[in-house]
Amino acid sequence: AVLAIEALPQQGEGTLEVDGVPHLIGGGDWIRVDPGEAHAFRNEHAEHLVVTCICTPCFSMADVYYR
């Protein structure tokens, strides 16, 4: 499946890397990752990073692959 992901950081701060470009994220941000964009959430702080993600269509581990 091809996923679109929208994410809302709830707690903490971190980095969302999309197609090799890092973006600082934190509470109050709203993020969209379009289908086919390589992405990774990173927490490089002592505080937890809590992010709520909405995936369409529904997320499946079969959709996960690493480069």
Side-chain angles (χ1 to χ4, degrees):
V2 177
L3 296 176
I5 299 172
E6 298 202 16
L8 178 62
Q10 301 291 313
Q11 174 185 333
E13 295 179 339
T15 302
L16 171 63
E17 186 174 306
V18 179
D19 286 338
V21 179
H23 304 274
L24 297 177
I25 61 170
D29 289 339
W30 186 261
I31 302 138
R32 178 177 172 89
V33 179
D34 288 317
E37 291 182 315
H39 62 282
F41 289 97
R42 301 197 197 304
N43 180 9
E44 298 159 345
H45 306 282
E47 183 181 358
H48 291 291
L49 173 62
V50 178
V51 179
T52 299
C53 293
I54 302 166
C55 304
T56 54
C58 184
F59 175 82
S60 167
M61 284 305 292
D63 297 319
V64 176
Y65 66 95
Y66 298 94
R67 293 185 195 182

